[in-house]
Amino acid sequence: MSLYKIDANKHRHLADEFRANPIGIHSPELQKVLNVFRGAKMAGKYVLVCVKPHKKWVLAQLGKKRGDPLILHKDRLFYSIEEAEWGIFKIRWEYYTGELLMG
């Protein structure tokens, strides 16, 4: 677990910032949050799998150990990289803050 703690009330504006611009350069404060999200342990980590280049992504989870097959969540499809990144951000936000993000 990271030393940097994400507080849903204190950092909610960062979720809004990410929603507005999920791809590209982020503020230093948002980058800290993303570093926590992306630096999580690998077992069971949510990831995106591109199933049709530049057109379709599916939510997946890594296995419990290296070499385990991915668990594809075929009911969670995205048709733009921005929506895919927002979808995974919401999952990670809920994991770290306990707050469900809508939209």
Side-chain angles (χ1 to χ4, degrees):
M1 201 65 153
S2 170
L3 294 176
Y4 185 78
K5 301 296 180 208
I6 303 165
D7 180 288
N9 294 320
K10 180 180 172 188
H11 296 109
R12 181 61 172 84
H13 69 283
L14 298 174
D16 296 334
E17 177 186 336
F18 186 84
R19 179 66 174 130
N21 183 29
I23 305 295
I25 299 172
H26 305 292
S27 70
E29 193 176 15
L30 175 55
Q31 192 59 57
K32 284 181 186 178
V33 170
L34 295 175
N35 289 345
V36 170
F37 287 0
R38 294 171 180 165
K41 63 183 173 90
M42 297 302 283
K45 186 175 185 177
Y46 284 93
V47 296
L48 297 169
V49 175
C50 182
V51 293
K52 189 169 188 181
H54 310 289
K55 294 188 188 265
K56 187 169 28 172
W57 294 259
V58 65
L59 182 68
Q61 278 181 281
L62 300 178
K64 292 190 185 285
K65 63 183 187 320
R66 187 181 192 101
D68 284 352
L70 290 173
I71 301 163
L72 296 178
H73 297 277
K74 294 180 181 181
D75 60 328
R76 300 287 307 271
L77 293 173
F78 305 96
Y79 296 94
S80 75
I81 189 61
E82 293 82 7
E83 286 304 312
E85 290 290 346
W86 175 239
I88 208 162
F89 182 94
K90 291 189 301 184
I91 291 168
R92 292 172 177 170
W93 180 269
E94 183 178 7
Y95 176 80
Y96 281 96
T97 69
E99 179 188 69
L100 183 64
L101 291 173
M102 304 309 285

